[in-house]
Amino acid sequence: MKKLYLSAAVIAALLFSGAVLTSCDDDDDKTPDNNPNTITFENVTAVKNYVQSGTFDAAQPGGTTTIVFNAGKGQTLMFATMYGYSNDLFFAPENPGLKLYNDDGTPRTGDVSAAVQLWDNGTRVNQKPGPDVTHPGTAEVGNVTQITDGRDVAGNTYLPASSLMKLTLAYDAVKSEFTLTIANISSGTANETPFSAGVWVVSNVLDGDLIVEKPFFEKDQKSSTQLTALAENGNTKPYTDLITPQTGIITTLSPAIVVIYTGDTNPIYTLGQKDAQIGLAALAQRGDPSQLVTSLGKLPQVKHIYTTGDDMADPGQKMYTQYEAAEGDKLAYALMFGYSNDWFYANESAVNPLSRGDISNNVVLLDDGTAVSQYPGAGNAQLIFGGTLMPEDQPITKVGDTYPVPSPKNVIKVTIN
């Protein structure tokens, strides 16, 4: 998912149009030549472990609680809640979490209770489970273990977790949004118990892999202080204090197209108007600038076209291209917000290509209006999940505050030297 390779025909077309195919990232030691006209795009996104996280309410026997979240193919939901009538037992799926999509890419829906397991935190001696359990009880030094045979180390017996907790998934395909309903079905059983308030996370993805595959615990290893607080007392605050700053939207950046032109009209886009059908949608949806290069090369006001190569830029990586420009020329650029359906970064106002320094304050994040937007980095129709976009026909607009997207200055740095 990191790399988009251009065909030989596309490269030939770029060369014919005058493009300079140069790029640079942190994986190599190359630096731009001492050329007076070099524009650099740097992905300055702070890597976050989780794209979404939160808490959910407690559930008494006979009651329910819900978690609403977004996810794409390959992402999982991890959650944990205390077995209330115990010393340090908790419910959670096995790592990396509840699988949300089938192998064929279709979302899982309906009863998924088999995914939940009962775990012993290993920090308190287990008493017979029930309302008379003394909290927190006698301390012990152990590891997180799974109760797999219906008995804990003290010989206490338990029904399977799926006999106490029912998990039901519903899915909204347009939003790529799941609703998990957790029903406490322990009422009247030998293991009747309330469930405490709980915590949940959806891991971010980078280069096709989950950033965190063991969010809350590691089987047969010591528990964390945060999980201990939850498993012993149903206290979610230590976890929320830990995971909230680790949660946020991240993104890759597609190769950038850089255009040197004359006149007063940005040849790439016009805010408030619909996509001109000259290739911007391919860049905004798939990070592919080739069609736009070909189309812009036919415009008389366009003097030169360049791209930064064929690689996506991960957080911490850079891309650049050198260019030719003269007095009176203007510069425009565009590149995809990689974890979106059809968003792109561009210059809001014309850039003097002979200027020098940081020009990041002129960057704007735009919605191309050609595909229905989903939660960035958690939308199953997005490029990073190999999804199929849902088309729409709307004008190009600035991306608003529907999603907690970092400001452009916290994602992309653009400099000219």
Side-chain angles (χ1 to χ4, degrees):
M1 296 187 194
K2 176 185 172 186
K3 297 182 182 296
L4 297 176
Y5 294 100
L6 303 183
S7 67
V10 170
I11 292 174
L14 294 177
L15 291 172
F16 179 78
S17 69
V20 177
L21 297 175
T22 56
S23 66
C24 166
D25 62 35
D26 287 353
D27 294 333
D28 56 46
D29 296 326
K30 295 189 299 182
T31 58
D33 296 337
N34 188 23
N35 186 302
N37 299 318
T38 301
I39 185 167
T40 301
F41 303 90
E42 180 178 3
N43 188 335
V44 296
T45 308
V47 176
K48 302 285 188 177
N49 289 337
Y50 311 111
V51 64
Q52 289 181 315
S53 65
T55 61
F56 55 93
D57 293 336
Q60 299 298 317
T64 62
T65 186
T66 58
I67 306 171
V68 180
F69 61 96
N70 302 87
K73 186 167 54 181
Q75 289 178 306
T76 57
L77 174 76
M78 175 55 77
F79 69 87
T81 175
M82 179 189 179
Y83 181 120
Y85 287 166
S86 75
N87 297 91
D88 66 342
L89 304 186
F90 65 95
F91 295 98
E94 293 191 64
N95 287 315
L98 174 61
K99 184 179 179 181
L100 301 168
Y101 291 87
N102 298 308
D103 292 340
D104 63 1
T106 56
R108 296 181 69 188
T109 57
D111 191 338
V112 291
S113 305
V116 70
Q117 304 294 334
L118 184 59
W119 304 85
D120 186 337
N121 195 56
T123 52
R124 297 288 170 179
V125 175
N126 294 331
Q127 298 173 298
K128 182 179 179 180
D132 297 328
V133 164
T134 303
H135 290 286
T138 304
E140 68 173 353
V141 179
N143 297 326
V144 175
T145 56
Q146 187 176 349
I147 298 177
T148 56
D149 59 358
R151 290 180 180 273
D152 61 23
V153 292
N156 300 305
T157 58
Y158 302 90
L159 293 169
S162 58
S163 296
L164 307 176
M165 175 183 289
K166 182 178 181 180
L167 305 179
T168 308
L169 273 178
Y171 182 68
D172 183 327
V174 175
K175 296 180 180 179
S176 190
E177 181 180 86
F178 289 90
T179 299
L180 176 68
T181 300
I182 301 175
N184 187 331
I185 58 173
S186 69
S187 182
T189 71
N191 294 119
E192 182 170 329
T193 181
F195 305 152
S196 75
V199 292
W200 62 271
V201 295
V202 176
S203 177
N204 263 315
V205 173
L206 192 59
D207 291 335
D209 297 321
L210 297 174
I211 290 180
V212 178
E213 294 188 343
K214 298 175 181 178
F216 291 164
F217 63 91
E218 187 170 352
K219 186 178 179 180
D220 298 325
Q221 299 296 318
K222 292 288 187 293
S223 179
S224 66
T225 57
Q226 293 82 12
L227 181 57
T228 297
L230 178 67
E232 292 183 0
N233 300 299
N235 183 3
T236 61
K237 186 177 186 305
Y239 250 130
T240 56
D241 289 346
L242 175 69
I243 63 180
T244 298
Q246 296 179 7
T247 303
I249 292 169
I250 65 172
T251 190
T252 56
L253 300 175
S254 80
I257 183 171
V258 178
V259 180
I260 305 300
Y261 69 99
T262 59
D264 297 326
T265 302
N266 185 326
I268 298 177
Y269 79 96
T270 301
L271 190 66
Q273 294 187 13
K274 291 183 178 180
D275 185 297
Q277 305 289 314
I278 61 172
L280 179 58
L283 176 69
Q285 295 176 7
R286 303 190 302 276
D288 180 3
S290 58
Q291 184 182 346
L292 195 56
V293 167
T294 301
S295 299
L296 294 179
K298 300 174 182 179
L299 301 180
Q301 70 269 35
V302 173
K303 296 176 64 176
H304 304 288
I305 306 171
Y306 306 86
T307 72
T308 58
D310 60 359
D311 288 354
M312 288 280 192
D314 287 346
Q317 296 182 329
K318 300 178 183 179
M319 308 174 290
Y320 73 88
T321 185
Q322 299 168 350
Y323 60 87
E324 296 180 13
E327 286 288 346
D329 289 347
K330 296 176 182 178
L331 181 150
Y333 60 82
L335 62 166
M336 180 189 179
F337 183 103
Y339 283 18
S340 73
N341 299 75
D342 66 338
W343 295 355
F344 65 99
Y345 285 112
N347 51 297
E348 186 168 17
S349 58
V351 175
N352 178 359
L354 302 181
S355 63
R356 296 291 177 264
D358 189 335
I359 59 169
S360 304
N361 60 356
N362 192 23
V363 178
V364 63
L365 180 59
L366 301 171
D367 184 337
D368 191 48
T370 53
V372 175
S373 294
Q374 297 173 328
Y375 199 100
N380 199 46
Q382 292 163 3
L383 174 73
I384 61 166
F385 301 110
T388 301
L389 296 168
M390 291 167 281
E392 66 176 2
D393 187 22
Q394 298 295 326
I396 296 171
T397 58
K398 293 182 180 180
V399 171
D401 58 1
T402 301
Y403 308 104
V405 183
S407 65
K409 68 179 181 180
N410 291 328
V411 177
I412 181 171
K413 181 179 181 181
V414 184
T415 55
I416 294 178
N417 56 36

